[in-house]
């Protein structure tokens, strides 16, 4: 079984924001990197929230508002040692598009719905190479 650490975006590849960032700054970062989710860390490097493109869009046009005003504070997380199935079920049941991945309370990465689509595509491709073609099943040949 796959662990979530095998499909997540690792912390060193993440764009991370602070609670005092302005929404204008967040909009620029989201657009520049073509991403939809940003972990929010405080000055102690502690995960305090998550802000998404949807949160920013719903916040309106006041670009001087701060991330701390719109971020989701009560976030679900998964441990990097959890199985992919566990994270997928959590995301599905709680209708999440992203989960921060932690270990011992420290941010290690994030996993998004796009990561799960990549897994699904890889599995479908594997199935296509294993399943016989319908013509191969014709008993008259």
């Amino acid at each position: 079984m796959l662990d979530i650490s095998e499909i997540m975006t690792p912390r060193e590849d993440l764009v991370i924001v602070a609670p005092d960032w302005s929404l204008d700054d967040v909009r620029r970062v989201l657009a520049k990197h073509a991403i939809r989710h940003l972990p929010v860390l405080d000055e102690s490097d502690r995960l305090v929230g998550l802000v998404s493109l949807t949160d920013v869009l719903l916040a309106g046009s006041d670009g001087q508002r701060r991330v701390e005003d719109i971020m989701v504070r009560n976030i679900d997380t998964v441990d990097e040692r959890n199985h992919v199935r566990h994270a997928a079920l959590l995301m599905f049941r709680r209708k999440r598009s992203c989960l921060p991945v932690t270990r011992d309370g420290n941010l290690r990465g994030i996993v998004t719905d796009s990561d799960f689509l990549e897994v699904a595509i890889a599995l479908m491709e594997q199935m296509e190479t294993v399943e016989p073609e319908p013509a191969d099943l014709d008993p008259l040949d």
Side-chain angles (χ1 to χ4, degrees):
M1 223 184 233
L2 285 174
D3 288 342
I4 205 68
S5 63
E6 297 177 66
I7 70 165
M8 71 180 189
T9 301
R11 178 170 175 165
E12 56 269 12
D13 295 339
L14 294 177
V15 178
I16 295 170
V17 299
D20 62 349
W21 277 39
S22 75
L23 293 190
D24 281 344
D25 292 336
V26 169
R27 282 187 185 98
R28 280 191 286 277
V29 166
L30 290 171
K32 176 182 177 184
H33 296 280
I35 55 178
R36 298 177 293 142
H37 307 93
L38 295 168
V40 183
L41 300 182
D42 67 10
E43 61 279 345
S44 301
D45 210 33
R46 187 175 54 95
L47 181 66
V48 293
L50 188 68
V51 65
S52 70
L53 177 60
T54 302
D55 299 324
V56 172
L57 292 173
L58 291 172
S61 61
D62 181 3
Q64 296 310 306
R65 286 183 71 187
R66 300 284 173 219
V67 166
E68 62 193 347
D69 297 332
I70 67 158
M71 70 183 187
V72 176
R73 294 172 189 274
N74 297 323
I75 52 177
D76 295 311
T77 63
V78 290
D79 187 281
E80 69 180 341
R81 297 163 289 197
N82 287 138
H83 293 293
V84 167
R85 183 174 185 271
H86 169 78
L89 287 170
L90 180 61
M91 288 176 71
F92 178 73
R93 289 180 179 148
R94 302 246 176 116
K95 301 194 183 321
R96 304 287 189 241
S97 60
C98 170
L99 291 173
V101 180
T102 61
R103 183 165 189 165
D104 302 324
N106 298 310
L107 181 67
R108 304 290 292 184
I110 62 170
V111 63
T112 69
D113 48 8
S114 296
D115 297 319
F116 285 100
L117 283 174
E118 285 185 36
V119 170
I121 290 166
L123 289 173
M124 287 185 278
E125 288 172 348
Q126 285 179 1
M127 287 175 53
E128 288 172 359
T129 61
V130 173
E131 290 179 356
E133 291 293 322
D136 295 337
L137 299 176
D138 189 355
L140 300 178
D141 280 346

